[in-house]
Each structure stands twice: as structure tokens, then as C-alpha cells.
Amino acid sequence: MSVLLGLLLACGGGGAPAPEPAAGELPTQGGLYRVLVRPEPAPIPLAQLFTAVVQVRDARTGALVEDAKVKVDATMPHHGHGMTTKPVPDEGVCADGVCRHADGLYRTEGMKFHMPGEWTVHVEVDGPAGPDRVDLVWAL
Amino acid sequence: MTLGLLLACAEPAWTEAERAAIAGLTPIPAPYPRPTNRVADDPRAVALGARLFLDPGFSASGTVSCATCHDPARHFTDGLPRARTDAGEGTRNTPTIETVAWSTWYFWDGRADSAWAQAGGPIVNPIEHGFSVEGVRARVVERYAAEWTELYGGVDEDPARVLAELGKAIEAFERTMGPKPGRFDAWARELAEGGPAMQLSEAEQRGLELFIGPAGCVNCHNGPLFTDHSFHNLGLPDNHDRGRADGALTVLADPANCLGPHSDARTCDELRFLDPAFSDWPGAMKTPSLRNVAHTAPYMHDGRFTTLEEVVDFYNLLPLAHHLGHRETILVPLRLTREDRAALVAFLGTLSGGEPG
């Protein structure tokens, strides 16, 4: 019985369908999460430091994911290079070995687009549902 | 009337994207704030810095001042391929310091993160001023004690602090040197306001069109200072200078950096997020501003080109020859006609503004 329940849960268990994504939300490649990614400030200032803000939801339930690890990087595929900086993700509020991010918001400081053109932003999410990633394009 | 119509039609019709690109290149903004230097905008520091800049007493030979290489009559350059004093010749070209008020990194390799830290470097470099920090402190005690007391509350026992303070006064002076607007700026303003925009010749406007368009110069020479304040490897033949690869490591370890004891800043994000292992750093040099570039020959970090025509010729052919690291991927031979090469150079001349010094 417990095995059957486990299987049912893994398959979605016949629960309510996943809520519709909010405007601008992107599904991660493996379908585990939905992310909303925005720069701060916007628009991105050329050759100046900015912050990438990522909001993470569980794709199945639509619930905000507050205890994931989120990593953001960026490259210029047409130029063959990445950024000249090492961005640093915020830790969130940590207690008892678990770091939580209120409202599912993860901030990565130290991004810099030092050249105009097309940048691919790589977002990695490692949360309760497992690791997943998504790439998006920001043009400057 | 017919003639007027013909003239009006001869003007390039700038697209919306081109107009936006042009608007991004002007006007020259006010100097950026400098949290690492609390006297950066103090008029007393400006006056003191002007005297220090010209004082050869801060050199071992008593003959070298900042102005020896940063000649006010040459837009603060020396006209030489590589910096030279009585004490020797360096390996790099003397860059102008007119644009320090907007820079993020200093020296060709960015091994300093403030103009005041930069100013201290040549003073203790054996082949430039060849002086010592102790010598700097002794001269300040002898000649500038009153000014130091007024500005800094006295002459500190630590000669490294005194050197930093000397640099801070020099930085305050340097912030007043900023390049003046050129004909390009006046023309661009008129263009934005829908005016006649006729101050630039046809060739100059063609040069601008190439600069922001097919020639791709604006990829790195962007913003009102015509620089991205970053570093790039151009693949200059036979270049063996590691440039930014060493400069990034040096600035992170420099006790005179933003995080050091002589900095007045509380946060140092540029330093905090700098990646010294960035893949394209080896052989990369700082993108120079193009303001007054027509008056700051010779060109490149090692002064290898004596004219702007030679610089454009380099980008036009991009010779395949051995060089350190790998060339910026987006650089491709421009293959411009002779007429277009001349147009690019003509446009660069419109970035000259004001009398030197």
C-alpha cells in the first residue's frame, strides 16, 4: 500500500492540474520549476554591475520554492566568452542548516554585461524536486 | 531652393536604431562619484593636486613630475610610443588621464582600482619617478605640511598613507581635466532636437555610420566616453604582454585597493565581483577612450601605431600573426574601402574638444 501511494504521489496522484504560469514565467528544461527572471535595475546598464532576481515556483503545484539553491551566469555565445565578473547568490535566511528565500526570490549580485549584444542567461535551480535549469536571452 | 532641397537630401537618413546609438554617445556626463576618496571634489585638494602634479621633487632625480609623461599640452600624453624618463623606458604607452573621472580601472592592465592608487604607482616605479614612500613623506613634511594638516589633519607617520593622500589630491585635480565636448556632441544634440545637424561633413557622418554600424567600433568604444571601461585582446601581432590577466590579480592583492586601509569606501563591489580567471583576460588591455584621440598618438598599449590611419588599417585586415591569448571573437576584418577608412578617421576627429591642458 505504501509503495502504491508513493507511486501515485510521484505520478501526480490525480491532484489538481498545475496552475497557469504567470506572465513572463519560463518552465525549466526538465519541467520541474517555473522561474521569473528579471534584472535590477532594469533596463540593464551597459558595463555596470546589476543584480539578477529569480523567483522560483514548483511547476506542479505552483507553490513558491523558498529553500532551493539558485545559480545565475551569463555568456555571449556569438562572442565565445562569459562575464568578467563572478556573480554571488544571496544566501537567504539560514537556520538549522536550511536557508530560506522569502517569496521564492533569489538575488544574484555582481552580474555585468560589458558588451552590447545578445547575452544568454543561464539559471540553475536545485530545489526539493531536483536540479533543473533554463536559459534565456537578454539583448543589450 | 532646389539647391537647398538637394543639400537636405544629401544628409544620411538616420534610422531610429542609429539615432538611439548616437544618443548613447553623448553628452559627457558629470564626473562619477568617488567613494574611495573623500577629498575627490574638495577645491583645496584640487589646488594641492595641481601643485603636486607638477612637482619634480617627488622623484629620485628631481626632474620627473607627473606632467613629464602626462603633458598638459598634449592632452596629458607624451607623444612617445612607450613612456620614457631619465631613469628608463617602460613597455607601455602613456595613456591620457583626461578620463580618469569616469574610469573603473586604471593602467592599461587595470592593476589599480582608483585614480589615487594609480597616481602613486609611477612615483615608486624605479623607471619612472624612482622615488620611495619615505621620500614622499619627507617631502610632504618639508613642503606641504600646512596643506596636509588642512586637508587630512596632519602628516601621518605611515608613509604609505601619505602616498595615498598625495594620490587623492592628484585625483581631485585630474577630475577637473575632463575632455570638452567636440563637434560630434553639438551635432548629435541638434540631430536629437530635429535641427539641421549640418556641422559634420559627409565623410564624418559616413564615419559615424560605420562606427555605430558595420565597423562595430561601438561594441567596445561605447558610452559618452567611447569606452566600455573593460579589457579586450585585439590579437596584436607579436604581443606578449599578459595585460589584464596580471592586472586583475595585482589589483585584488593591492593594499592600496578599494578594500585597503587607505580607502574611504565602505563597499567595493567592482573588486568584490571581479573574476581574475576570466577566459579572455590574457593579452587583454583596457579599452581607451576615444575623446581627443586625434591628439594622443601613438596608439595601442605599446604605441605601435603612429597614426589613426594605421589603427584603422589594422582593424581592416586583422593580420593573422602570433599573439598572446586569443583575439576577441567578434573582431573580423572590416575590409573597408580607402574612402570609408578615411571617413572613420574623419569621424574620430569630431571627438576633439577644447584646447589641451
Side-chain angles (χ1 to χ4, degrees):
Chain A
M1 180 58 189
S2 61
V3 172
L4 182 61
L5 183 63
L7 279 173
L8 282 171
L9 281 173
C11 297
E20 287 297 309
E25 274 190 343
L26 297 170
T28 50
Q29 289 170 2
L32 298 182
Y33 307 102
R34 294 200 314 265
V35 296
L36 191 62
V37 191
R38 62 178 168 84
E40 193 179 283
I44 297 165
L46 177 63
Q48 290 180 38
L49 294 168
F50 69 95
T51 298
V53 183
V54 182
Q55 188 170 48
V56 182
R57 288 181 187 275
D58 184 292
R60 195 170 57 87
T61 65
L64 292 167
V65 178
E66 298 191 333
D67 58 347
K69 285 184 178 169
V70 172
K71 188 178 167 191
V72 182
D73 199 356
T75 57
M76 295 193 91
H78 302 305
H79 295 204
H81 63 68
M83 291 186 291
T84 59
T85 57
K86 281 187 300 186
V88 177
D90 70 329
E91 287 190 349
V93 179
C94 302
D96 301 326
V98 178
C99 297
R100 305 198 76 83
H101 293 73
D103 299 326
L105 290 170
Y106 300 77
R107 299 170 58 81
T108 300
E109 291 183 285
M111 307 277 293
K112 186 191 271 191
F113 290 176
H114 63 283
M115 296 181 79
E118 215 168 73
W119 287 82
T120 300
V121 180
H122 313 280
V123 180
E124 293 177 12
V125 180
D126 191 355
D132 208 347
R133 59 177 297 153
V134 62
D135 293 341
L136 56 144
V137 174
W138 280 347
L140 195 64
Chain B
M1 181 63 186
T2 312
L3 182 62
L5 277 173
L6 280 172
L7 280 174
C9 293
E11 265 189 82
W14 298 100
T15 66
E16 202 169 314
E18 286 172 330
R19 284 171 183 268
I22 292 166
L25 297 172
T26 185
I28 300 171
Y32 292 163
R34 291 301 185 215
T36 67
N37 180 0
R38 65 175 179 80
V39 301
D41 295 308
D42 187 323
R44 297 171 302 175
V46 173
L48 174 61
R51 289 171 57 201
L52 297 169
F53 190 85
L54 297 168
D55 186 350
F58 290 102
S59 68
S61 66
T63 61
V64 180
S65 73
C66 303
T68 301
C69 296
H70 297 289
D71 181 356
R74 292 176 177 269
H75 290 280
F76 300 95
T77 61
D78 56 11
L80 300 170
R82 289 164 293 281
R84 191 168 65 218
T85 69
D86 293 343
E89 186 183 61
T91 57
R92 294 177 183 158
N93 177 255
T94 301
T96 180
I97 46 177
E98 284 185 333
T99 52
V100 299
W102 297 273
S103 297
T104 309
W105 308 104
Y106 300 81
F107 295 115
W108 280 102
D109 58 8
R111 65 182 184 275
D113 66 348
S114 69
W116 59 263
Q118 186 281 325
I123 290 175
V124 295
N125 184 334
I127 59 166
E128 295 185 71
H129 296 235
F131 215 36
S132 65
V133 286
E134 292 78 14
V136 167
R137 185 180 183 281
R139 183 158 182 87
V140 167
V141 168
E142 182 190 335
R143 295 289 181 94
Y144 299 97
E147 291 84 347
W148 240 257
T149 298
E150 192 183 353
L151 205 53
Y152 303 116
V155 183
D156 199 90
E157 289 298 321
D158 178 3
R161 173 165 287 277
V162 178
L163 180 67
E165 290 168 345
L166 174 133
K168 289 178 181 180
I170 290 174
E171 179 181 28
F173 169 57
E174 289 176 339
R175 285 165 68 78
T176 66
M177 296 173 180
K180 305 292 180 291
R183 286 193 300 117
F184 162 73
D185 300 276
W187 172 87
R189 190 175 61 243
E190 287 201 19
L191 181 74
E193 292 168 356
M198 286 298 285
Q199 298 98 325
L200 297 193
S201 71
E202 201 173 315
E204 288 164 344
Q205 292 192 53
R206 171 62 181 159
L208 169 59
E209 188 182 6
L210 292 164
F211 188 93
I212 61 172
C217 312
V218 79
N219 278 321
C220 298
H221 294 285
N222 51 49
L225 277 303
F226 289 78
T227 171
D228 58 1
H229 306 290
S230 191
F231 304 81
H232 301 277
N233 185 341
L234 305 179
L236 290 168
D238 300 314
N239 174 48
H240 302 290
D241 189 330
R242 284 172 45 81
R244 186 54 170 160
D246 290 338
L249 292 170
T250 304
V251 71
L252 285 168
D254 185 359
N257 69 20
C258 175
L259 291 165
H262 310 311
S263 164
D264 300 319
R266 291 182 182 160
T267 57
C268 302
D269 283 348
E270 289 289 350
L271 206 59
R272 179 181 162 210
F273 296 118
L274 171 64
D275 183 2
F278 176 59
S279 60
D280 283 7
W281 281 156
M285 297 291 171
K286 190 166 74 170
T287 310
S289 169
L290 299 181
R291 291 281 176 185
N292 286 318
V293 70
H295 304 289
T296 59
Y299 304 102
M300 303 303 184
H301 72 277
D302 52 7
R304 66 175 61 201
F305 298 136
T306 54
T307 65
L308 284 173
E309 284 79 3
E310 285 179 47
V311 177
V312 174
D313 283 350
F314 165 75
Y315 286 111
N316 213 35
L317 282 174
L318 281 183
L320 292 169
H322 179 71
H323 58 267
L324 187 72
H326 69 272
R327 177 179 277 159
E328 187 72 56
T329 310
I330 54 162
L331 284 175
V332 291
L334 299 181
R335 298 196 176 90
L336 299 177
T337 64
R338 195 173 296 162
E339 194 177 356
D340 277 350
R341 277 178 280 165
L344 257 185
V345 174
F347 166 65
L348 293 175
T350 70
L351 305 179
S352 300
E355 292 300 312

mmCIF file of all heavy atoms in Angstrom, chain B residues 17-42:
data_model
loop_
_atom_site.group_PDB
_atom_site.id
_atom_site.type_symbol
_atom_site.label_atom_id
_atom_site.label_comp_id
_atom_site.label_asym_id
_atom_site.label_seq_id
_atom_site.Cartn_x
_atom_site.Cartn_y
_atom_site.Cartn_z
ATOM 1 N N ALA B 17 17.190 53.175 -34.816
ATOM 2 C CA ALA B 17 18.238 52.461 -34.067
ATOM 3 C C ALA B 17 19.539 53.246 -34.083
ATOM 4 O O ALA B 17 20.246 53.324 -33.069
ATOM 5 C CB ALA B 17 18.453 51.078 -34.676
ATOM 6 N N GLU B 18 19.864 53.856 -35.221
ATOM 7 C CA GLU B 18 21.085 54.649 -35.301
ATOM 8 C C GLU B 18 20.992 55.885 -34.415
ATOM 9 O O GLU B 18 21.944 56.256 -33.734
ATOM 10 C CB GLU B 18 21.355 55.057 -36.752
ATOM 11 C CG GLU B 18 21.867 53.915 -37.617
ATOM 12 C CD GLU B 18 21.951 54.279 -39.093
ATOM 13 O OE1 GLU B 18 21.131 55.119 -39.552
ATOM 14 O OE2 GLU B 18 22.803 53.724 -39.779
ATOM 15 N N ARG B 19 19.823 56.493 -34.423
ATOM 16 C CA ARG B 19 19.641 57.673 -33.563
ATOM 17 C C ARG B 19 19.817 57.311 -32.093
ATOM 18 O O ARG B 19 20.406 58.054 -31.310
ATOM 19 C CB ARG B 19 18.257 58.290 -33.786
ATOM 20 C CG ARG B 19 18.166 59.076 -35.078
ATOM 21 C CD ARG B 19 16.725 59.477 -35.377
ATOM 22 N NE ARG B 19 16.638 60.159 -36.654
ATOM 23 C CZ ARG B 19 16.721 61.484 -36.810
ATOM 24 N NH1 ARG B 19 16.864 62.266 -35.762
ATOM 25 N NH2 ARG B 19 16.662 62.027 -38.002
ATOM 26 N N ALA B 20 19.306 56.142 -31.719
ATOM 27 C CA ALA B 20 19.457 55.686 -30.330
ATOM 28 C C ALA B 20 20.935 55.430 -30.024
ATOM 29 O O ALA B 20 21.425 55.785 -28.945
ATOM 30 C CB ALA B 20 18.646 54.417 -30.104
ATOM 31 N N ALA B 21 21.646 54.843 -30.987
ATOM 32 C CA ALA B 21 23.077 54.572 -30.784
ATOM 33 C C ALA B 21 23.850 55.879 -30.643
ATOM 34 O O ALA B 21 24.736 56.009 -29.796
ATOM 35 C CB ALA B 21 23.626 53.748 -31.943
ATOM 36 N N ILE B 22 23.480 56.860 -31.464
ATOM 37 C CA ILE B 22 24.157 58.164 -31.405
ATOM 38 C C ILE B 22 23.872 58.846 -30.064
ATOM 39 O O ILE B 22 24.776 59.389 -29.424
ATOM 40 C CB ILE B 22 23.709 59.053 -32.588
ATOM 41 C CG1 ILE B 22 24.236 58.465 -33.904
ATOM 42 C CG2 ILE B 22 24.175 60.490 -32.404
ATOM 43 C CD1 ILE B 22 23.588 59.044 -35.153
ATOM 44 N N ALA B 23 22.629 58.751 -29.636
ATOM 45 C CA ALA B 23 22.254 59.392 -28.365
ATOM 46 C C ALA B 23 23.024 58.781 -27.194
ATOM 47 O O ALA B 23 23.282 59.463 -26.190
ATOM 48 C CB ALA B 23 20.745 59.248 -28.140
ATOM 49 N N GLY B 24 23.405 57.519 -27.324
ATOM 50 C CA GLY B 24 24.156 56.864 -26.250
ATOM 51 C C GLY B 24 25.603 57.305 -26.154
ATOM 52 O O GLY B 24 26.298 56.946 -25.209
ATOM 53 N N LEU B 25 26.052 58.108 -27.118
ATOM 54 C CA LEU B 25 27.466 58.518 -27.149
ATOM 55 C C LEU B 25 27.681 59.950 -26.660
ATOM 56 O O LEU B 25 28.802 60.463 -26.723
ATOM 57 C CB LEU B 25 27.998 58.382 -28.583
ATOM 58 C CG LEU B 25 28.004 56.967 -29.172
ATOM 59 C CD1 LEU B 25 28.355 56.993 -30.660
ATOM 60 C CD2 LEU B 25 28.983 56.079 -28.419
ATOM 61 N N THR B 26 26.648 60.568 -26.203
ATOM 62 C CA THR B 26 26.736 61.971 -25.782
ATOM 63 C C THR B 26 25.556 62.288 -24.874
ATOM 64 O O THR B 26 24.545 61.568 -24.947
ATOM 65 C CB THR B 26 26.735 62.895 -27.034
ATOM 66 O OG1 THR B 26 26.926 64.250 -26.641
ATOM 67 C CG2 THR B 26 25.441 62.785 -27.806
ATOM 68 N N PRO B 27 25.616 63.310 -24.016
ATOM 69 C CA PRO B 27 26.735 64.204 -23.726
ATOM 70 C C PRO B 27 27.683 63.593 -22.690
ATOM 71 O O PRO B 27 27.352 62.585 -22.062
ATOM 72 C CB PRO B 27 26.044 65.434 -23.151
ATOM 73 C CG PRO B 27 24.850 64.882 -22.446
ATOM 74 C CD PRO B 27 24.399 63.699 -23.278
ATOM 75 N N ILE B 28 28.824 64.241 -22.525
ATOM 76 C CA ILE B 28 29.774 63.798 -21.498
ATOM 77 C C ILE B 28 29.131 64.067 -20.132
ATOM 78 O O ILE B 28 28.749 65.197 -19.840
ATOM 79 C CB ILE B 28 31.107 64.566 -21.621
ATOM 80 C CG1 ILE B 28 31.733 64.325 -22.997
ATOM 81 C CG2 ILE B 28 32.062 64.161 -20.507
ATOM 82 C CD1 ILE B 28 32.936 65.215 -23.295
ATOM 83 N N PRO B 29 28.983 63.042 -19.295
ATOM 84 C CA PRO B 29 28.313 63.262 -18.007
ATOM 85 C C PRO B 29 29.222 63.952 -16.999
ATOM 86 O O PRO B 29 30.430 64.105 -17.236
ATOM 87 C CB PRO B 29 27.998 61.832 -17.548
ATOM 88 C CG PRO B 29 29.035 60.979 -18.192
ATOM 89 C CD PRO B 29 29.417 61.647 -19.488
ATOM 90 N N ALA B 30 28.639 64.339 -15.874
ATOM 91 C CA ALA B 30 29.440 64.888 -14.775
ATOM 92 C C ALA B 30 30.348 63.770 -14.259
ATOM 93 O O ALA B 30 30.025 62.593 -14.398
ATOM 94 C CB ALA B 30 28.522 65.373 -13.658
ATOM 95 N N PRO B 31 31.498 64.136 -13.694
ATOM 96 C CA PRO B 31 32.384 63.097 -13.145
ATOM 97 C C PRO B 31 31.637 62.168 -12.185
ATOM 98 O O PRO B 31 30.769 62.615 -11.437
ATOM 99 C CB PRO B 31 33.452 63.909 -12.403
ATOM 100 C CG PRO B 31 33.521 65.199 -13.145
ATOM 101 C CD PRO B 31 32.096 65.480 -13.569
ATOM 102 N N TYR B 32 31.985 60.895 -12.244
ATOM 103 C CA TYR B 32 31.337 59.915 -11.374
ATOM 104 C C TYR B 32 31.793 60.116 -9.921
ATOM 105 O O TYR B 32 32.931 60.521 -9.679
ATOM 106 C CB TYR B 32 31.693 58.494 -11.814
ATOM 107 C CG TYR B 32 31.107 58.078 -13.148
ATOM 108 C CD1 TYR B 32 31.613 56.976 -13.822
ATOM 109 C CD2 TYR B 32 30.050 58.779 -13.732
ATOM 110 C CE1 TYR B 32 31.086 56.571 -15.051
ATOM 111 C CE2 TYR B 32 29.525 58.384 -14.951
ATOM 112 C CZ TYR B 32 30.048 57.283 -15.617
ATOM 113 O OH TYR B 32 29.538 56.898 -16.818
ATOM 114 N N PRO B 33 30.932 59.813 -8.962
ATOM 115 C CA PRO B 33 31.332 59.919 -7.548
ATOM 116 C C PRO B 33 32.484 58.968 -7.239
ATOM 117 O O PRO B 33 32.626 57.924 -7.880
ATOM 118 C CB PRO B 33 30.073 59.491 -6.785
ATOM 119 C CG PRO B 33 28.977 59.435 -7.774
ATOM 120 C CD PRO B 33 29.567 59.316 -9.127
ATOM 121 N N ARG B 34 33.270 59.326 -6.266
ATOM 122 C CA ARG B 34 34.428 58.504 -5.899
ATOM 123 C C ARG B 34 34.417 58.202 -4.400
ATOM 124 O O ARG B 34 35.074 58.886 -3.613
ATOM 125 C CB ARG B 34 35.729 59.227 -6.275
ATOM 126 C CG ARG B 34 35.948 59.333 -7.767
ATOM 127 C CD ARG B 34 36.001 57.967 -8.387
ATOM 128 N NE ARG B 34 36.336 57.991 -9.803
ATOM 129 C CZ ARG B 34 35.827 57.129 -10.692
ATOM 130 N NH1 ARG B 34 34.954 56.212 -10.298
ATOM 131 N NH2 ARG B 34 36.182 57.169 -11.945
ATOM 132 N N PRO B 35 33.690 57.190 -3.996
ATOM 133 C CA PRO B 35 33.593 56.895 -2.554
ATOM 134 C C PRO B 35 34.928 56.542 -1.905
ATOM 135 O O PRO B 35 35.067 56.679 -0.691
ATOM 136 C CB PRO B 35 32.651 55.678 -2.497
ATOM 137 C CG PRO B 35 31.944 55.648 -3.808
ATOM 138 C CD PRO B 35 32.873 56.281 -4.805
ATOM 139 N N THR B 36 35.914 56.112 -2.680
ATOM 140 C CA THR B 36 37.200 55.749 -2.050
ATOM 141 C C THR B 36 38.023 56.984 -1.693
ATOM 142 O O THR B 36 39.030 56.868 -1.006
ATOM 143 C CB THR B 36 38.069 54.848 -2.959
ATOM 144 O OG1 THR B 36 38.499 55.596 -4.106
ATOM 145 C CG2 THR B 36 37.305 53.603 -3.403
ATOM 146 N N ASN B 37 37.590 58.157 -2.186
ATOM 147 C CA ASN B 37 38.383 59.371 -1.988
ATOM 148 C C ASN B 37 37.478 60.495 -1.492
ATOM 149 O O ASN B 37 36.777 61.141 -2.273
ATOM 150 C CB ASN B 37 39.053 59.772 -3.315
ATOM 151 C CG ASN B 37 39.897 61.029 -3.190
ATOM 152 O OD1 ASN B 37 39.994 61.625 -2.099
ATOM 153 N ND2 ASN B 37 40.508 61.433 -4.283
ATOM 154 N N ARG B 38 37.532 60.748 -0.194
ATOM 155 C CA ARG B 38 36.601 61.731 0.370
ATOM 156 C C ARG B 38 36.962 63.171 -0.008
ATOM 157 O O ARG B 38 36.164 64.084 0.197
ATOM 158 C CB ARG B 38 36.514 61.573 1.898
ATOM 159 C CG ARG B 38 37.786 61.875 2.637
ATOM 160 C CD ARG B 38 37.595 61.822 4.155
ATOM 161 N NE ARG B 38 38.840 62.089 4.845
ATOM 162 C CZ ARG B 38 39.330 63.313 5.041
ATOM 163 N NH1 ARG B 38 38.676 64.366 4.608
ATOM 164 N NH2 ARG B 38 40.480 63.478 5.663
ATOM 165 N N VAL B 39 38.172 63.395 -0.534
ATOM 166 C CA VAL B 39 38.529 64.761 -0.945
ATOM 167 C C VAL B 39 38.450 64.925 -2.466
ATOM 168 O O VAL B 39 38.911 65.931 -3.009
ATOM 169 C CB VAL B 39 39.942 65.174 -0.442
ATOM 170 C CG1 VAL B 39 40.020 65.092 1.069
ATOM 171 C CG2 VAL B 39 41.043 64.342 -1.100
ATOM 172 N N ALA B 40 37.856 63.964 -3.148
ATOM 173 C CA ALA B 40 37.859 63.976 -4.622
ATOM 174 C C ALA B 40 37.288 65.272 -5.198
ATOM 175 O O ALA B 40 37.719 65.720 -6.262
ATOM 176 C CB ALA B 40 37.089 62.775 -5.158
ATOM 177 N N ASP B 41 36.317 65.859 -4.516
ATOM 178 C CA ASP B 41 35.699 67.080 -5.050
ATOM 179 C C ASP B 41 35.923 68.291 -4.148
ATOM 180 O O ASP B 41 35.186 69.274 -4.213
ATOM 181 C CB ASP B 41 34.201 66.823 -5.275
ATOM 182 C CG ASP B 41 33.989 65.761 -6.353
ATOM 183 O OD1 ASP B 41 34.566 65.908 -7.447
ATOM 184 O OD2 ASP B 41 33.290 64.767 -6.090
ATOM 185 N N ASP B 42 36.964 68.218 -3.326
ATOM 186 C CA ASP B 42 37.299 69.321 -2.425
ATOM 187 C C ASP B 42 38.202 70.305 -3.181
ATOM 188 O O ASP B 42 39.285 69.928 -3.640
ATOM 189 C CB ASP B 42 38.022 68.742 -1.198
ATOM 190 C CG ASP B 42 38.271 69.789 -0.128
ATOM 191 O OD1 ASP B 42 38.572 70.952 -0.484
ATOM 192 O OD2 ASP B 42 38.182 69.444 1.065
#
